[in-house]
Amino acid sequence: MMTTRQAPRSGGRGRGGPARRPGGGEARGPAEGRVVLYGWHPVSEALRNPGRALHRLLATENAALRLAEEVGALRIAPEIVRPSAINGLLGPDAVHQGLYLEAEPLEGPDFDSLPDDAVLLALDQITDPHNVGAIVRTAAAFGVTAIVTTARHSPAATGVMAKSASGGLEHVPLVVVRNLAEALIELGERGFTRIGLDSEADATLDAVAPRAPLVVVLGAEGKGLRQRTRECCDRMARIPFRGAIQSVNVSNAAAITLYALLPRA
């Protein structure tokens, strides 16, 4: 049986304009259960999302001015800080663009609330937060309904993953399940066509006749799909590469697969 991420709590730290107080800001990390978003796209999209409960926003003076110009009235007043204050929270290598936000995780939908034409991505132990974030961004670009992932062996929707998603987390909810095979079985019982991507599959994507609702199952680079996951798919398919290199990054594979299947689903 599936579980979803914690639902947002009501309220935030208040409403206000582009600045609340000057100074360096407190170098304290987020409270337990909160997620950290940083960088322009993750933070600005979260601020635009009324379903995202907000707690603390740090911004440099220039970043706060840009928010005021491009986002407008904010649901939470930023604390104006120097870049070093955000560096102290994230580390010097994080590309934060002067923005740091602490917020509640977003709630994932139940399977029984998915529409009849839903398109899902299911991730089988893809652990690299950059890859998962890029997949989320791709899913947002193609209008994917939700992404199914596991509570274990998957990165949390925060920090590096959220940054790589470039705001996509606000548009593609995550459904977090305890067991992916059981989730795929349940989706099959609900009428989903389950297509697993496998470089060794006999059929190519153009030979697959997808039917909505649809779930595309992606495995980790190198390991691919686990055997139990394969057994829960209706069809296995591969991308028909013609060049010397016969594989691509899993986020690129997700984009190619969605482009190939969605017009026919």
Side-chain angles (χ1 to χ4, degrees), residues 2-5 108-111 114 120 146-150 173-177:
M2 73 169 198
T3 59
T4 59
R5 289 202 184 277
D110 293 324
F111 284 165
L114 296 174
L120 308 179
I147 294 176
V148 181
T149 186
T150 52
L174 301 182
V175 180
V176 182
V177 300

Side-chain angles (χ1 to χ4, degrees), residues 89-160:
L89 291 167
L90 299 175
D93 296 329
V95 184
H96 54 72
Q97 298 168 290
L99 290 172
Y100 169 99
L101 178 66
E102 294 175 15
E104 290 292 318
L106 291 172
E107 182 180 13
D110 293 324
F111 284 165
D112 57 12
S113 69
L114 296 174
D116 292 339
D117 60 349
V119 175
L120 308 179
L121 290 179
L123 310 185
D124 187 14
Q125 295 194 345
I126 301 177
T127 58
D128 186 315
H130 295 92
N131 278 339
V132 176
I135 290 170
V136 172
R137 183 175 183 177
T138 294
F142 280 95
V144 168
T145 309
I147 294 176
V148 181
T149 186
T150 52
R152 297 180 60 194
H153 305 295
S154 63
T158 187
V160 172

Side-chain angles (χ1 to χ4, degrees), residues 121-123 126-142 144 147 161 164-165 197 205 216-222 239 241 247-259:
L121 290 179
L123 310 185
I126 301 177
T127 58
D128 186 315
H130 295 92
N131 278 339
V132 176
I135 290 170
V136 172
R137 183 175 183 177
T138 294
F142 280 95
V144 168
I147 294 176
M161 196 270 262
S164 298
L197 201 63
L205 286 174
V216 176
V217 190
L218 304 169
E221 291 185 54
I239 299 171
F241 295 112
S247 65
V248 293
N249 177 280
V250 66
S251 62
N252 292 333
I256 294 168
T257 303
L258 290 171
Y259 182 80

